[in-house]
Amino acid sequence: MTTVPEDGLAAMGPEAAGTDGPRPVLSVRNLVKHFPVHSGEVIRRRVGDIHAVCGVSFDLFQGETLGLVGESGSGKSTIARCVLRLHEPTAGSVRFGDIDLLAQNRKQMRRLRRELQIVFQDPYASLDPRMTVDDIVGEPFRIHGLKDNVEAETRELLRLVGLNPEHGNRYPHEFSGGQRQRIGIARALALEPKVIVLDEPVSALDVSIQAGVVNLLEDLQERLGVAYLFVAHDLSVVRHICDRVAVMYLGRIMETGTRDDIYKRPSHPYTQALLSAVPLPDPVAERGRVRIVLKGDPPSTVAPPSGCRFRTRCWKAQDICAEEEPALVDRGQGHPSACHFAEVEEVV
């Protein structure tokens, strides 16, 4: 049995466990984010907190894609925004190489944003409708004062993401959803970042368009060596693009491992339930498998359950699950799982 430290960091990547392997480009430790809840119309007072993210840790290495998956409200997008300090974390640390991002002031963070970029979920809302595509893609150059010939750089970026550079004088409303997302990707690539956060970049697109955007992201990663933090709830997309996967539930990581670990040998009941809902392309196999239907709704993030957060919907739950929160460790299944009764289920 391979023992992993309780925070599960050693298994977040094969290199993370050793001292001689490459260092992570992005390192997150015990990240916590609480949002205050207020009550009262005249006198506002704080009555509680939304526990959006609770002690999440992971490493991201150069040239790889780490997927954060889970139900809506599990804290995936909050993590992405905390990493970039679009939300200020309540506690924890976020390091970019040797730099502590949470210790940087506004001016220092502005310089670091050259290395850390984001592609937002909604391509219709993330682009300024009053700016032309040339202005949108060229804006990072002007803000940071990095390029003399912005027009030539902008046209090259549009060509890189598969758009016609001659259409740079058009406005966002003149493009389809997939083309708009490509514009957002071109803007994110402008400053040659080392890390790009992809916050559900294809969820607002048609399935046929999703494939083109995902293939584009893979091609760009192979060409440029950029690292992706890929936030999504579509398990099929995550399986296609991600090297490693972290499964989230109610602000915590329930299971993490390589793509094969999660999709072929899931050990946490929540992961197994999620995968059972993914349609199979083989009609015979689809009809023959047993689907796991979770009962009830996820608990409130204002008052999460004691012990294991998944216990209120878990068919394996016992007394220990309410008394002791399971650590994210390898219990013999080959990768970390936050379950007292983790058991590998082979998936064909």
Side-chain angles (χ1 to χ4, degrees), residues 195-212:
V195 176
I196 297 181
V197 174
L198 301 165
D199 188 5
E200 305 205 30
V202 298
S203 63
L205 306 177
D206 292 337
V207 174
S208 58
I209 306 300
Q210 287 182 9

PDB file of all heavy atoms in Angstrom, residues 195-212:
ATOM      1  N   VAL A 195       0.509  29.785 -17.900  1.00  0.00           N
ATOM      2  CA  VAL A 195      -0.677  29.101 -17.381  1.00  0.00           C
ATOM      3  C   VAL A 195      -1.922  29.793 -17.911  1.00  0.00           C
ATOM      4  O   VAL A 195      -2.012  31.025 -17.877  1.00  0.00           O
ATOM      5  CB  VAL A 195      -0.710  29.111 -15.834  1.00  0.00           C
ATOM      6  CG1 VAL A 195      -2.010  28.486 -15.329  1.00  0.00           C
ATOM      7  CG2 VAL A 195       0.487  28.376 -15.258  1.00  0.00           C
ATOM      8  N   ILE A 196      -2.870  28.998 -18.415  1.00  0.00           N
ATOM      9  CA  ILE A 196      -4.165  29.531 -18.817  1.00  0.00           C
ATOM     10  C   ILE A 196      -5.247  28.773 -18.053  1.00  0.00           C
ATOM     11  O   ILE A 196      -5.300  27.547 -18.082  1.00  0.00           O
ATOM     12  CB  ILE A 196      -4.406  29.403 -20.332  1.00  0.00           C
ATOM     13  CG1 ILE A 196      -3.382  30.227 -21.116  1.00  0.00           C
ATOM     14  CG2 ILE A 196      -5.812  29.867 -20.689  1.00  0.00           C
ATOM     15  CD1 ILE A 196      -3.567  30.162 -22.626  1.00  0.00           C
ATOM     16  N   VAL A 197      -6.097  29.515 -17.366  1.00  0.00           N
ATOM     17  CA  VAL A 197      -7.257  28.933 -16.694  1.00  0.00           C
ATOM     18  C   VAL A 197      -8.411  28.923 -17.686  1.00  0.00           C
ATOM     19  O   VAL A 197      -8.778  29.961 -18.239  1.00  0.00           O
ATOM     20  CB  VAL A 197      -7.633  29.753 -15.443  1.00  0.00           C
ATOM     21  CG1 VAL A 197      -8.926  29.221 -14.839  1.00  0.00           C
ATOM     22  CG2 VAL A 197      -6.505  29.700 -14.426  1.00  0.00           C
ATOM     23  N   LEU A 198      -8.974  27.753 -17.917  1.00  0.00           N
ATOM     24  CA  LEU A 198     -10.085  27.585 -18.851  1.00  0.00           C
ATOM     25  C   LEU A 198     -11.335  27.297 -18.033  1.00  0.00           C
ATOM     26  O   LEU A 198     -11.544  26.176 -17.576  1.00  0.00           O
ATOM     27  CB  LEU A 198      -9.789  26.447 -19.829  1.00  0.00           C
ATOM     28  CG  LEU A 198      -8.513  26.622 -20.668  1.00  0.00           C
ATOM     29  CD1 LEU A 198      -8.110  25.306 -21.311  1.00  0.00           C
ATOM     30  CD2 LEU A 198      -8.707  27.688 -21.721  1.00  0.00           C
ATOM     31  N   ASP A 199     -12.156  28.309 -17.822  1.00  0.00           N
ATOM     32  CA  ASP A 199     -13.333  28.187 -16.969  1.00  0.00           C
ATOM     33  C   ASP A 199     -14.535  27.767 -17.809  1.00  0.00           C
ATOM     34  O   ASP A 199     -15.253  28.601 -18.350  1.00  0.00           O
ATOM     35  CB  ASP A 199     -13.612  29.512 -16.262  1.00  0.00           C
ATOM     36  CG  ASP A 199     -14.715  29.389 -15.215  1.00  0.00           C
ATOM     37  OD1 ASP A 199     -15.192  28.258 -14.986  1.00  0.00           O
ATOM     38  OD2 ASP A 199     -15.095  30.414 -14.635  1.00  0.00           O
ATOM     39  N   GLU A 200     -14.721  26.455 -17.934  1.00  0.00           N
ATOM     40  CA  GLU A 200     -15.792  25.874 -18.750  1.00  0.00           C
ATOM     41  C   GLU A 200     -15.845  26.540 -20.133  1.00  0.00           C
ATOM     42  O   GLU A 200     -16.862  27.109 -20.518  1.00  0.00           O
ATOM     43  CB  GLU A 200     -17.136  25.999 -18.028  1.00  0.00           C
ATOM     44  CG  GLU A 200     -17.112  25.400 -16.641  1.00  0.00           C
ATOM     45  CD  GLU A 200     -18.481  24.973 -16.143  1.00  0.00           C
ATOM     46  OE1 GLU A 200     -19.323  24.608 -16.968  1.00  0.00           O
ATOM     47  OE2 GLU A 200     -18.684  24.996 -14.922  1.00  0.00           O
ATOM     48  N   PRO A 201     -14.756  26.448 -20.889  1.00  0.00           N
ATOM     49  CA  PRO A 201     -14.653  27.208 -22.136  1.00  0.00           C
ATOM     50  C   PRO A 201     -15.557  26.732 -23.261  1.00  0.00           C
ATOM     51  O   PRO A 201     -15.742  27.458 -24.234  1.00  0.00           O
ATOM     52  CB  PRO A 201     -13.174  27.031 -22.523  1.00  0.00           C
ATOM     53  CG  PRO A 201     -12.802  25.706 -21.934  1.00  0.00           C
ATOM     54  CD  PRO A 201     -13.567  25.623 -20.647  1.00  0.00           C
ATOM     55  N   VAL A 202     -16.128  25.518 -23.146  1.00  0.00           N
ATOM     56  CA  VAL A 202     -16.969  25.011 -24.235  1.00  0.00           C
ATOM     57  C   VAL A 202     -18.397  24.712 -23.797  1.00  0.00           C
ATOM     58  O   VAL A 202     -19.202  24.247 -24.605  1.00  0.00           O
ATOM     59  CB  VAL A 202     -16.347  23.737 -24.868  1.00  0.00           C
ATOM     60  CG1 VAL A 202     -14.990  24.043 -25.483  1.00  0.00           C
ATOM     61  CG2 VAL A 202     -16.222  22.625 -23.837  1.00  0.00           C
ATOM     62  N   SER A 203     -18.739  24.990 -22.549  1.00  0.00           N
ATOM     63  CA  SER A 203     -20.060  24.610 -22.049  1.00  0.00           C
ATOM     64  C   SER A 203     -21.187  25.402 -22.694  1.00  0.00           C
ATOM     65  O   SER A 203     -22.331  24.934 -22.750  1.00  0.00           O
ATOM     66  CB  SER A 203     -20.126  24.777 -20.531  1.00  0.00           C
ATOM     67  OG  SER A 203     -19.955  26.131 -20.170  1.00  0.00           O
ATOM     68  N   ALA A 204     -20.890  26.607 -23.202  1.00  0.00           N
ATOM     69  CA  ALA A 204     -21.932  27.430 -23.819  1.00  0.00           C
ATOM     70  C   ALA A 204     -22.032  27.205 -25.328  1.00  0.00           C
ATOM     71  O   ALA A 204     -22.809  27.887 -25.996  1.00  0.00           O
ATOM     72  CB  ALA A 204     -21.663  28.911 -23.532  1.00  0.00           C
ATOM     73  N   LEU A 205     -21.268  26.235 -25.844  1.00  0.00           N
ATOM     74  CA  LEU A 205     -21.212  26.022 -27.286  1.00  0.00           C
ATOM     75  C   LEU A 205     -21.946  24.743 -27.683  1.00  0.00           C
ATOM     76  O   LEU A 205     -22.102  23.819 -26.871  1.00  0.00           O
ATOM     77  CB  LEU A 205     -19.742  25.924 -27.746  1.00  0.00           C
ATOM     78  CG  LEU A 205     -18.827  27.086 -27.349  1.00  0.00           C
ATOM     79  CD1 LEU A 205     -17.411  26.807 -27.815  1.00  0.00           C
ATOM     80  CD2 LEU A 205     -19.331  28.410 -27.921  1.00  0.00           C
ATOM     81  N   ASP A 206     -22.371  24.681 -28.937  1.00  0.00           N
ATOM     82  CA  ASP A 206     -22.965  23.465 -29.471  1.00  0.00           C
ATOM     83  C   ASP A 206     -21.923  22.344 -29.479  1.00  0.00           C
ATOM     84  O   ASP A 206     -20.712  22.597 -29.551  1.00  0.00           O
ATOM     85  CB  ASP A 206     -23.463  23.690 -30.899  1.00  0.00           C
ATOM     86  CG  ASP A 206     -24.650  24.650 -30.948  1.00  0.00           C
ATOM     87  OD1 ASP A 206     -25.328  24.773 -29.920  1.00  0.00           O
ATOM     88  OD2 ASP A 206     -24.870  25.262 -32.008  1.00  0.00           O
ATOM     89  N   VAL A 207     -22.396  21.103 -29.423  1.00  0.00           N
ATOM     90  CA  VAL A 207     -21.491  19.961 -29.349  1.00  0.00           C
ATOM     91  C   VAL A 207     -20.535  19.932 -30.541  1.00  0.00           C
ATOM     92  O   VAL A 207     -19.336  19.649 -30.393  1.00  0.00           O
ATOM     93  CB  VAL A 207     -22.299  18.646 -29.274  1.00  0.00           C
ATOM     94  CG1 VAL A 207     -21.365  17.447 -29.336  1.00  0.00           C
ATOM     95  CG2 VAL A 207     -23.130  18.600 -27.996  1.00  0.00           C
ATOM     96  N   SER A 208     -21.039  20.220 -31.734  1.00  0.00           N
ATOM     97  CA  SER A 208     -20.187  20.187 -32.922  1.00  0.00           C
ATOM     98  C   SER A 208     -19.104  21.255 -32.860  1.00  0.00           C
ATOM     99  O   SER A 208     -17.985  21.059 -33.352  1.00  0.00           O
ATOM    100  CB  SER A 208     -21.040  20.386 -34.179  1.00  0.00           C
ATOM    101  OG  SER A 208     -21.745  21.613 -34.113  1.00  0.00           O
ATOM    102  N   ILE A 209     -19.404  22.391 -32.226  1.00  0.00           N
ATOM    103  CA  ILE A 209     -18.431  23.472 -32.096  1.00  0.00           C
ATOM    104  C   ILE A 209     -17.439  23.164 -30.981  1.00  0.00           C
ATOM    105  O   ILE A 209     -16.260  23.529 -31.054  1.00  0.00           O
ATOM    106  CB  ILE A 209     -19.144  24.812 -31.824  1.00  0.00           C
ATOM    107  CG1 ILE A 209     -20.201  25.093 -32.893  1.00  0.00           C
ATOM    108  CG2 ILE A 209     -18.135  25.950 -31.762  1.00  0.00           C
ATOM    109  CD1 ILE A 209     -19.641  25.188 -34.289  1.00  0.00           C
ATOM    110  N   GLN A 210     -17.901  22.469 -29.941  1.00  0.00           N
ATOM    111  CA  GLN A 210     -17.022  22.125 -28.824  1.00  0.00           C
ATOM    112  C   GLN A 210     -15.790  21.366 -29.292  1.00  0.00           C
ATOM    113  O   GLN A 210     -14.671  21.635 -28.850  1.00  0.00           O
ATOM    114  CB  GLN A 210     -17.786  21.276 -27.807  1.00  0.00           C
ATOM    115  CG  GLN A 210     -18.806  22.026 -26.989  1.00  0.00           C
ATOM    116  CD  GLN A 210     -19.481  21.135 -25.964  1.00  0.00           C
ATOM    117  OE1 GLN A 210     -19.067  19.984 -25.754  1.00  0.00           O
ATOM    118  NE2 GLN A 210     -20.525  21.635 -25.332  1.00  0.00           N
ATOM    119  N   ALA A 211     -15.992  20.403 -30.178  1.00  0.00           N
ATOM    120  CA  ALA A 211     -14.879  19.575 -30.642  1.00  0.00           C
ATOM    121  C   ALA A 211     -13.802  20.419 -31.299  1.00  0.00           C
ATOM    122  O   ALA A 211     -12.599  20.212 -31.070  1.00  0.00           O
ATOM    123  CB  ALA A 211     -15.385  18.516 -31.616  1.00  0.00           C
ATOM    124  N   GLY A 212     -14.203  21.405 -32.096  1.00  0.00           N
ATOM    125  CA  GLY A 212     -13.230  22.261 -32.760  1.00  0.00           C
ATOM    126  C   GLY A 212     -12.426  23.090 -31.777  1.00  0.00           C
ATOM    127  O   GLY A 212     -11.206  23.238 -31.928  1.00  0.00           O
TER     128      GLY A 212
END
